[in-house]
Amino acid sequence: MADPRRDDRAGGTIEPIGERADRAPLTRDRILRSAVALIDAEGLHQLSMRRLGRELGVEAMALYRYVPSRSDLLDGVVETVVDELYADPEVHLLPQHSWQEYVIRLAHGVRRMALAHPEAFPLVATRPPAAPWVRPPLRSLRWIESFLQGLLSQGFSRADAVHAYRAFSSFLLGHLLLELSALGVDTGPVEEEAHPTPGVELLADYPLLAELAPGLAEFHFDAEFDEALHNLLDRLGPGTGDVPTD
Amino acid sequence: MADPRRDDRAGGTIEPIGERADRAPLTRDRILRSAVALIDAEGLHQLSMRRLGRELGVEAMALYRYVPSRSDLLDGVVETVVDELYADPEVHLLPQHSWQEYVIRLAHGVRRMALAHPEAFPLVATRPPAAPWVRPPLRSLRWIESFLQGLLSQGFSRADAVHAYRAFSSFLLGHLLLELSALGVDTGPVEEEAHPTPGVELLADYPLLAELAPGLAEFHFDAEFDEALHNLLDRLGPGTGDVPTD
DNA sequence: ACCTGAACACCGTTCAAGT
DNA sequence: ACCTGAACACCGTTCAAGT
């Protein structure tokens, strides 16, 4: 709403009318945010350097000043999404009360993150981690550190804490990828149309499936997630470690 | 070792020397087997229509007579890999003794399949299933049918069998993807070099991680897999279902 | 019937050149 | 300093044309 007459004097360098409003300077952060937004809006398969450049009003080549490669871009997207966990008021960096409450809050936070970015979460779950012992989806060193620290502060031995980290990771990975898969998200290396025909005609040869299909089709992901999470909590805890860590 | 003199008579149609030995006629099955071999040998990211054509001594366009699209090719790869389960002598289509033994054999069979095709398994785990209630990695209708049938034959109610199918799926998905991820397989949508620097220098800010890194780096996937599998078996079984399926 | 050549609309990435 | 144009070596896919 700036008064246009301010630049009306002869010879004044007038802001070109055709210029895009989002002509903010290019930064790595702006690029990553734009990439996440593009993935959320149009799916991972729409994210190309050229398309992202277009989204930012710039040629693709300009991005290379801030992002060394497409692969680095994807790593940055993962980091950006995972960092949202720090902003989740329901999730605490360290236990406030019991370790169970801490783990439950963290699990639900990661699930919210997955459901908020269903097209990006597969990247969080599957990009090669920085080190082999970093296990998705809790893949930032800072989170791993505070997860382990948090359990130690609640009386876990080092071995028990490591064991819990492993079990918690595979619990989250399995449940969340299955949930997204059922939502029709392509969690895999290539993008494609969603579920084709539910295949009622294919069920002719499978009488039991034909009978159970309605029950199988009912989703109870909330309940399943909480049930499995509580089963997990029951078998973790101080003094339950049985896998050596030396 | 065939005697070459058999075709030495004048005027005989001699096999052109320059012809490739693998000049077998193109078929869908040959294409799919070649695709699996290429993925196993060079990674998923090397599988392109053009590269696969070259592998088969043919132009990429020729493949389209047998495979409607690259996406269909990937679905075919998944099917080809999953079908290996039928050829695994350790895995039975239906329980021979207890349901526990049946599930254990099946779980280890799927794990062998994942480890035999580490670069292809992510496709098995993550390609959008034919119907939303088909849960990877046990994703063929025939396997789902016999899994459910097998549990019913061992006294499971329909609800318990469905519950077991869901829990078994997320167990396999979580554990096997984590195991492959630790092996440095890119389980995700883009191919890349393996683990970069193990990041010892990055650990400066994370004293607990620095201390526990050696323990974290120790892999006990066999033990972890079996431990989690037995925990799963303990909470399944007839009469334990608590998620409605109607 | 089966395969190819040429073409189209894309990719990621580089580098010299423009401002 | 920051961005672009042109170029290179790729993609998936189509279609008319060759044999």
Side-chain angles (χ1 to χ4, degrees):
Chain A
M1 295 293 188
D3 189 340
R5 279 169 299 176
R6 296 217 301 143
D7 264 340
D8 257 356
R9 60 199 179 280
T13 316
I14 306 203
E15 272 279 86
I17 298 264
E19 203 81 311
R20 299 298 314 273
D22 51 330
R23 221 58 192 77
L26 224 44
T27 63
R28 181 167 223 268
D29 192 62
R30 212 164 79 87
I31 291 171
L32 293 180
R33 283 182 200 294
S34 189
V36 172
L38 181 56
I39 292 172
D40 285 344
E42 315 218 14
L44 184 55
H45 61 289
Q46 288 291 351
L47 181 72
S48 69
M49 300 300 279
R50 292 167 130 107
R51 180 80 160 75
L52 183 56
R54 209 185 310 149
E55 216 72 21
L56 289 160
V58 108
E59 298 298 316
M61 308 81 191
L63 303 176
Y64 284 88
R65 196 159 288 268
Y66 306 92
V67 162
S69 65
R70 181 183 144 90
S71 163
D72 178 87
L73 173 71
L74 294 178
D75 288 338
V77 164
V78 166
E79 212 186 326
T80 303
V81 169
V82 164
D83 279 355
E84 285 185 12
L85 259 189
Y86 295 116
D88 188 329
E90 304 280 326
V91 176
H92 303 135
L93 208 51
L94 288 171
Q96 316 265 309
H97 307 289
S98 67
W99 64 267
Q100 287 93 339
E101 190 206 349
Y102 170 70
V103 172
I104 289 172
R105 284 180 178 278
L106 182 55
H108 283 125
V110 175
R111 181 162 181 254
R112 274 191 296 275
M113 184 195 88
L115 294 177
H117 302 283
E119 301 277 346
F121 184 78
L123 285 179
V124 176
T126 64
R127 284 245 94 199
W133 48 265
V134 172
R135 303 202 180 187
L138 206 64
R139 52 184 303 147
S140 92
L141 296 188
R142 191 171 157 209
W143 264 117
I144 303 172
E145 173 86 6
S146 58
F147 182 86
L148 295 172
Q149 189 69 67
L151 295 192
L152 291 197
S153 77
Q154 298 285 315
F156 279 59
S157 70
R158 278 152 168 70
D160 287 339
V162 167
H163 182 247
Y165 169 61
R166 291 170 169 164
F168 186 58
S169 298
S170 85
F171 158 77
L172 286 176
L173 196 63
H175 277 268
L176 296 180
L177 282 182
L178 266 191
E179 184 163 358
L180 295 185
S181 157
L183 289 180
V185 172
D186 184 358
T187 58
V190 175
E191 64 296 334
E192 207 50 29
E193 70 287 351
H195 299 297
T197 48
V200 178
E201 65 286 6
L202 295 178
L203 295 179
D205 295 333
Y206 305 107
L208 189 56
L209 276 187
E211 179 199 332
L212 294 181
L216 279 165
E218 287 288 320
F219 298 152
H220 303 279
F221 283 111
D222 283 304
E224 279 185 49
F225 187 83
D226 281 325
E227 185 215 342
L229 178 55
H230 282 91
N231 280 322
L232 179 72
L233 295 177
D234 286 345
R235 40 181 256 258
L236 297 182
T240 59
D242 47 0
V243 173
T245 59
D246 61 316
Chain B
M1 296 292 188
D3 189 341
R5 281 170 298 176
R6 296 219 300 141
D7 262 343
D8 257 355
R9 60 198 179 282
T13 316
I14 307 206
E15 274 278 87
I17 298 261
E19 204 79 310
R20 300 295 315 273
D22 52 330
R23 220 58 191 77
L26 223 45
T27 63
R28 181 168 224 269
D29 191 63
R30 212 163 81 87
I31 291 171
L32 293 180
R33 284 183 198 294
S34 190
V36 172
L38 181 57
I39 292 172
D40 286 344
E42 316 219 13
L44 184 54
H45 60 288
Q46 288 292 350
L47 181 71
S48 69
M49 300 300 278
R50 292 169 129 106
R51 179 80 160 74
L52 183 56
R54 208 185 311 148
E55 217 72 22
L56 289 161
V58 107
E59 298 297 319
M61 309 79 189
L63 303 176
Y64 284 89
R65 197 159 287 268
Y66 306 92
V67 162
S69 66
R70 182 181 143 89
S71 164
D72 177 88
L73 173 70
L74 294 179
D75 287 339
V77 164
V78 166
E79 212 187 326
T80 303
V81 168
V82 164
D83 279 354
E84 285 184 13
L85 260 189
Y86 295 116
D88 187 328
E90 305 279 327
V91 175
H92 303 135
L93 208 51
L94 288 172
Q96 316 263 308
H97 308 289
S98 67
W99 65 267
Q100 287 94 339
E101 190 206 348
Y102 170 71
V103 172
I104 289 172
R105 285 179 177 277
L106 181 55
H108 283 125
V110 174
R111 182 163 181 253
R112 275 191 295 274
M113 184 195 88
L115 294 177
H117 302 283
E119 301 277 347
F121 185 78
L123 286 179
V124 175
T126 63
R127 283 245 96 201
W133 47 265
V134 172
R135 303 202 181 187
L138 205 65
R139 52 185 302 149
S140 91
L141 296 187
R142 192 172 154 208
W143 265 116
I144 303 172
E145 172 86 8
S146 57
F147 183 86
L148 295 173
Q149 189 68 67
L151 294 191
L152 290 197
S153 76
Q154 298 285 315
F156 278 59
S157 69
R158 277 150 168 71
D160 287 340
V162 167
H163 182 247
Y165 169 62
R166 291 171 169 163
F168 186 60
S169 298
S170 85
F171 158 77
L172 286 176
L173 196 62
H175 277 268
L176 296 180
L177 282 182
L178 265 192
E179 184 164 358
L180 295 185
S181 158
L183 289 179
V185 172
D186 183 358
T187 58
V190 174
E191 63 296 333
E192 207 50 27
E193 71 287 352
H195 300 299
T197 48
V200 178
E201 66 286 4
L202 295 178
L203 294 179
D205 295 333
Y206 305 108
L208 188 57
L209 275 188
E211 181 198 331
L212 295 181
L216 279 165
E218 288 288 321
F219 297 151
H220 305 279
F221 283 111
D222 284 304
E224 279 185 49
F225 187 83
D226 281 325
E227 185 215 342
L229 178 54
H230 283 90
N231 280 323
L232 178 71
L233 295 178
D234 286 345
R235 39 182 255 256
L236 297 182
T240 61
D242 46 1
V243 173
T245 60
D246 60 315

